[in-house]
Amino acid sequence: MGTVIMHHVVSVDGFIADEHDNVGPLFDWYTSGDTPVTETDESRAGNDTRVSAASAPYVRSMWAGIGAIVMGRNLFDLTNGWEGRPPAGDHVVVVSHRPKPEGWHPEASYHFVDNVKDAIAKAQELAGDRIIAVNGGEVGGQILAAGLVDEVAMDVVPVVFGSGKRYFGGIDTQHLLEDPHVVIQGDRVLHLKFKVRR
C-alpha cells in the first residue's frame, strides 16, 4: 500500500486559509518562480505552476508520486473539484455526507465516501503503491487522529494569519512526529516532511 501523507501549504502560525477560506499569499510561491513543475498539459489543473529551482525537484517528486488525493467536501466545493482534473494523481476521494453533484464530470475518477476510514481504504485501493495525499484541514485532522497518516508534509509560507482554518483542523489530542527528514528552503516557502511516530 502507498504511504499516506498529509500535505498542505500553511502559514507560520498553522493556518491553511482565513475564516472566509481566502488563502492570501499562501500559494504565491507556486507561480512566482522560473522553473516549471510539469510539462505543459492542458488536462491538469495547475499546469502553469512555476516555482524556484530549489523547490522544483521536491514538488515534482511529490506530485509524480501521488496516486490519489483525499479531500473534504469544503475544498471540493471551493475548487469545484478542479473541474475533474486534479493537479496530481489519477483519483480523488471526497469525504462528504452528500453525493457527487449530479452530472458533474462523469468521466472523472472522483469517489464520495462518508467517513475518513473508508476514504483512506478507497484511496489505497485506487492508488496501489503510490502516495495517498491527504489535504490539511478538518478531514486531514480526523485522518491523523484516526492513526491513518504515515507522514506530515508542510509547505510553510512566511506569513502570519492570526486566525482562520487550521492545518490540523479541530484535532484536540497530541500526536508525536519524528524529526523532519526533509527540510528544503525554497523562495518564500520552507518544505518540511515528518514521519508520524508510531
Side-chain angles (χ1 to χ4, degrees), residues 6-10 14-17 21 70-72 74-75 116 134-145 165-171:
M6 185 175 176
H7 181 219
H8 214 100
V9 178
V10 62
F15 295 99
I16 58 174
D21 291 311
V70 178
M71 66 192 303
N74 186 53
L75 182 58
V116 297
V134 174
N135 286 115
E138 290 299 325
V139 166
Q142 291 171 24
I143 293 170
L144 178 67
K165 306 285 177 86
R166 295 195 168 279
Y167 179 96
F168 292 104
I171 196 168

Side-chain angles (χ1 to χ4, degrees), residues 5 7 57-66 88 131 133 153 193:
I5 302 177
H7 181 219
Y58 173 76
V59 175
R60 282 183 189 137
S61 174
M62 283 287 288
W63 285 18
I66 294 172
I131 293 169
K193 261 177 123 174

Side-chain angles (χ1 to χ4, degrees), residues 82-114:
W82 303 294
E83 297 298 336
R85 297 182 309 268
D90 300 317
H91 313 280
V92 175
V93 179
V94 181
V95 180
S96 176
H97 295 298
R98 292 178 286 141
K100 183 191 301 190
E102 191 172 329
W104 183 88
H105 296 285
E107 77 289 353
S109 181
Y110 278 58
H111 308 266
F112 287 63
V113 299
D114 67 1

Side-chain angles (χ1 to χ4, degrees), residues 17-181:
D18 69 15
E19 296 91 344
H20 306 290
D21 291 311
N22 297 313
V23 296
L26 287 179
F27 290 87
D28 289 355
W29 66 274
Y30 265 121
T31 56
S32 64
D34 55 5
T35 307
V37 172
T38 61
E39 294 180 24
T40 302
D41 179 353
E42 295 301 321
S43 69
R44 288 281 188 200
N47 58 16
D48 59 346
T49 303
R50 300 177 78 80
V51 299
S52 70
S55 290
Y58 173 76
V59 175
R60 282 183 189 137
S61 174
M62 283 287 288
W63 285 18
I66 294 172
I69 294 173
V70 178
M71 66 192 303
R73 184 60 183 251
N74 186 53
L75 182 58
F76 173 85
D77 288 342
L78 286 170
T79 64
N80 195 28
W82 303 294
E83 297 298 336
R85 297 182 309 268
D90 300 317
H91 313 280
V92 175
V93 179
V94 181
V95 180
S96 176
H97 295 298
R98 292 178 286 141
K100 183 191 301 190
E102 191 172 329
W104 183 88
H105 296 285
E107 77 289 353
S109 181
Y110 278 58
H111 308 266
F112 287 63
V113 299
D114 67 1
N115 67 76
V116 297
K117 288 184 179 176
D118 289 346
I120 293 299
K122 184 65 176 177
Q124 287 174 326
E125 171 192 325
L126 294 166
D129 291 335
R130 297 178 72 199
I131 293 169
I132 293 95
V134 174
N135 286 115
E138 290 299 325
V139 166
Q142 291 171 24
I143 293 170
L144 178 67
L148 301 172
V149 172
D150 300 310
E151 296 184 21
V152 172
M154 306 174 94
D155 298 321
V156 183
V157 175
V159 61
V160 175
F161 273 36
S163 64
K165 306 285 177 86
R166 295 195 168 279
Y167 179 96
F168 292 104
I171 196 168
D172 60 0
T173 56
Q174 186 179 81
H175 297 269
L176 293 176
L177 307 177
E178 299 294 345
D179 289 338
H181 63 278

